[in-house]
Amino acid sequence: MEINFEDKTVVVIGGTSGINLGIADKFAQSGARLAVASRSQKKVDEAINTLSKYKHHAIGYAGDVREYKVIEEIFKKFNQQLGDIDILISGAAGNFPAPALGISSNGFKAVVDIDLVGTFHVMRSAYPFLKKPGASVINISAPQAYIPLEFQVHVCAAKSGVDMVTKVLAMEWGVEGIRVNSISPGPISETEGMKRLAPTEEILNATSESVPLKRIGTKVDIANTAMFLSSDYASYISGTVIPVDGGWSLGGASYLSSEMKKLFKI
Ligand code: NAP
Ligand code: COA
């Protein structure tokens, strides 16, 4: 067995920056055909440019995962241009640190709509175009899905829902040979998510110390896991949530709440 994605079709929703672009880049490097989508046309264009230095010219469209019809149209266009999907990564998300009392109804709804409802929209509209049997679907989750973190009520609610979508669809779609899993990244360097949750050098260093492996993770750590999960080596893995966090979720993650308390002077 080998890990080979030559000429495979890989779609990454929210794949225009950060962790998700890191995943797209790794698959493109290995010879896959890439398609990405996110809200900003500028970010889509930049990602296409980055990914097209490899074997195939990447494609991409701008759209908001909160708008079902828009996402459905994007999947139709991907299908016309690239055929059925071998690997689907769904990672669009929004986050900001705030205490529950500092979040309006619309603020809570915005994050749940992007992370959770958006994940459902992506799954639901991609389904007709997933290779059956054989597709690997990966939702990008977070430790907030199973660790209650203060100042993250919206994200905890949304990401725990994402992991349930993963598990239920692994059950419903398993019969057709589609595997569905979540990757739960720990703190990952040079990402928008970490900039928001650990905005100072001091918090970043302290976060690193709170990880059992004593380092912040990299985008490549997550991309490697996505490749493994989409390879034949993982052909009997479905319905799982895989933490890729240096052991952070075993205890260190709650440390971030105490740092955020200082930020909010609570
Ligand atoms: P990021 O660079 O901001 O990635 C988010 C991506 O989603 C961007 O491409 C963004 O592009 C897109 N997006 C946001 N809202 C969208 C919407 N409504 N519709 C369509 N696309 C949308 O952040 P990141 O930190 O790398 O996070 C990537 C993923 O990893 C997220 O699922 C996050 O929850 C997860 N995660 C991150 C960390 C971390 O340490 N950074 C830890 C755990 C989990 P546009 O702005 O163009 O829409
Ligand atoms: N604290 C409290 N509430 C906040 C907030 C903060 N730091 N940032 C935004 N909100 C609230 C807004 O006030 C608004 O509520 P209101 O209408 O009652 O005032 C609500 O969230 C929606 O904000 P808006 O900017 O209109 O939403 P959007 O749909 O354009 O953006 C976000 C969604 C807020 C999640 C935005 O941060 C985003 O686009 N994030 C994507 C990138 C990202 O978060 N990357 C990290 C992924 S882990």
Side-chain angles (χ1 to χ4, degrees):
M1 250 188 295
E2 57 180 296
I3 296 188
N4 180 4
F5 300 106
E6 196 85 21
D7 303 331
K8 297 278 186 199
T9 294
V10 180
V11 173
V12 187
I13 304 298
T16 60
S17 60
I19 289 173
N20 306 323
L21 179 57
I23 295 172
D25 194 86
K26 201 92 210 281
F27 277 111
Q29 255 182 66
S30 73
R33 296 173 205 278
L34 263 293
V36 294
S38 79
R39 292 168 303 178
S40 152
Q41 184 64 52
K42 184 168 174 284
K43 283 177 71 174
V44 169
D45 292 341
E46 285 166 0
I48 289 175
N49 199 29
T50 302
L51 299 170
S52 296
K53 63 178 180 252
Y54 303 114
K55 183 177 175 189
H56 296 288
H57 180 77
I59 62 169
Y61 295 101
D64 192 319
V65 291
R66 289 170 283 193
E67 296 175 45
Y68 184 76
K69 287 275 168 221
V70 170
I71 295 304
E72 199 178 30
E73 281 310 309
I74 288 177
F75 274 105
K76 283 182 190 159
K77 287 194 235 171
F78 284 162
N79 188 249
Q80 280 157 10
Q81 291 173 262
L82 298 181
D84 283 352
I85 301 167
D86 296 287
I87 295 149
L88 170 65
I89 314 286
S90 177
N95 192 0
F96 50 80
L101 297 181
I103 304 176
S104 67
S105 167
N106 195 42
F108 188 87
K109 187 173 181 304
V111 170
V112 171
D113 279 353
I114 299 169
D115 294 26
L116 176 55
V117 183
T119 298
F120 179 74
H121 286 171
V122 170
M123 299 295 111
R124 182 80 176 76
S125 52
Y127 173 80
F129 311 118
L130 294 174
K131 202 157 276 176
K132 306 173 193 74
S136 161
V137 177
I138 299 172
N139 291 320
I140 305 301
S141 184
Q144 287 92 322
Y146 44 92
I147 299 170
L149 275 191
E150 290 151 293
F151 314 107
Q152 288 283 275
V153 65
H154 45 335
V155 177
C156 290
K159 292 291 195 183
S160 59
V162 167
D163 285 350
M164 271 298 167
V165 170
T166 290
K167 290 173 192 183
V168 173
L169 295 190
M171 294 176 78
E172 291 191 10
W173 296 354
V175 67
E176 294 181 274
I178 298 169
R179 297 183 297 109
V180 188
N181 293 289
S182 285
I183 291 177
S184 177
I188 303 300
S189 65
E190 292 164 31
T191 60
E192 187 58 33
M194 271 316 275
K195 273 182 213 143
R196 289 177 183 220
L197 295 186
T200 66
E201 191 75 6
E202 191 193 349
I203 301 180
L204 199 61
N205 291 337
T207 305
S208 177
E209 270 307 298
S210 71
V211 176
L213 287 182
K214 301 296 172 200
R215 71 170 175 90
I216 300 290
T218 66
K219 292 166 207 164
V220 171
D221 288 323
I222 307 305
N224 286 341
T225 308
M227 292 194 110
F228 162 72
L229 263 184
S230 301
S231 76
D232 290 344
Y233 286 102
S235 61
Y236 204 48
I237 300 179
S238 195
T240 61
V241 177
I242 302 196
V244 184
D245 64 1
W248 199 52
S249 53
L250 299 175
S254 51
Y255 173 80
L256 200 50
S257 292
S258 51
E259 286 302 315
M260 283 194 267
K261 254 181 206 157
K262 289 185 209 159
L263 275 184
F264 288 103
K265 300 189 186 355
I266 290 173

